[in-house]
Amino acid sequence: MKVVHISQSGPRDASLATLCAEVYGQQAGLTPLVVFTGTKNVLFAQEAARLLAGVDGEGKPLALALLVLDEKGQGMTVTHACEFKQGAKARLISELSLKAPLRVEVASDKEEAFYQQCGIKRWFDSEGKRIGLGARHPAKSSDELVPTLHLDEALILRRFKHDPNAFSDAKEAFLSGLNNFPSTF
């Protein structure tokens, strides 16, 4: 598997829309659209997030992962990931854990076990969450961890509610992305 940083806006937006749709599914209401819009307009605009794909030898996408910087710009949290071929997400996370200052936050023992298999070996309890760090992450203890940058989803929803044009534009960009997901990178 080769890891590709998707940096051009067209393929990146299409991949982000696909990632949100895969992670949240059909029954998620506005959540995929809100995350897509905020990531595209805020995190990508501020260069605070990276979208990476794991591809096969022909460049066909096998998995996607969204990494978001922490407030100091030292670590990157896997906020969303999906796979199109079984086992590809684990391979992508494993590759990233070797190359990036990776952080994961998990909600269950099952998720923790998954990330441990991907090479995330250091684990801390912090603010009621389990946080795993890859070997390249600079923090040595939970006291050194700083929050991951996040989106104000309520603000985005309010904007959609009060600005029908913004909602329409976001929806159109999301659907366009879904329809234009690249077959190769």
Side-chain angles (χ1 to χ4, degrees), residues 1-6 11 15 52-64 84-85 88 91 181-185:
M1 173 181 284
K2 180 179 169 189
V3 177
V4 176
H5 175 212
I6 309 166
S15 299
L52 299 145
V55 300
D56 67 10
E58 284 81 49
K60 181 180 177 185
L62 305 174
L64 296 171
F84 307 109
K85 181 180 178 189
R91 287 183 57 208
F181 182 60
S183 58
T184 59
F185 288 103

Side-chain angles (χ1 to χ4, degrees), residues 103-178:
R103 169 181 173 161
V104 296
E105 297 177 5
V106 299
S108 70
D109 292 341
K110 183 178 177 183
E111 284 181 303
E112 184 172 335
F114 169 79
Y115 284 113
Q116 284 178 351
Q117 291 178 332
C118 297
I120 306 296
K121 301 296 184 198
R122 294 183 293 150
W123 290 88
F124 301 106
D125 290 312
S126 180
E127 300 171 18
K129 295 183 268 189
R130 289 287 286 163
I131 297 175
L133 302 178
R136 299 195 74 163
H137 197 284
K140 302 294 183 221
S141 70
S142 62
D143 295 339
E144 295 178 25
L145 294 173
V146 294
T148 301
L149 295 172
H150 68 281
L151 299 170
D152 187 342
E153 294 182 17
L155 179 67
I156 297 168
L157 282 169
R158 278 196 305 276
R159 178 154 189 241
F160 285 170
K161 183 177 179 181
H162 297 294
D163 185 350
N165 290 333
F167 175 74
S168 179
D169 291 347
K171 184 176 162 186
E172 189 174 309
F174 184 77
L175 293 174
S176 174
L178 288 176

Side-chain angles (χ1 to χ4, degrees), residues 19-129:
L19 175 63
C20 290
E22 289 288 323
V23 168
Y24 294 107
Q26 298 276 336
Q27 309 303 317
L30 291 175
T31 302
L33 180 61
V34 168
V35 171
F36 168 81
T37 302
T39 302
K40 177 179 178 285
N41 295 339
V42 178
L43 297 177
F44 285 158
Q46 296 175 354
E47 297 184 7
R50 307 280 181 275
L51 188 58
L52 299 145
V55 300
D56 67 10
E58 284 81 49
K60 181 180 177 185
L62 305 174
L64 296 171
L66 180 65
L67 306 182
V68 179
L69 289 172
D70 64 28
E71 291 177 354
K72 288 187 178 177
Q74 296 177 331
M76 304 182 89
T77 301
V78 178
T79 60
H80 298 79
C82 72
E83 64 187 3
F84 307 109
K85 181 180 178 189
Q86 188 169 351
K89 178 176 153 182
R91 287 183 57 208
L92 176 58
I93 301 296
S94 294
E95 289 285 328
L96 295 174
S97 74
L98 298 173
K99 298 174 182 177
L102 217 57
R103 169 181 173 161
V104 296
E105 297 177 5
V106 299
S108 70
D109 292 341
K110 183 178 177 183
E111 284 181 303
E112 184 172 335
F114 169 79
Y115 284 113
Q116 284 178 351
Q117 291 178 332
C118 297
I120 306 296
K121 301 296 184 198
R122 294 183 293 150
W123 290 88
F124 301 106
D125 290 312
S126 180
E127 300 171 18
K129 295 183 268 189

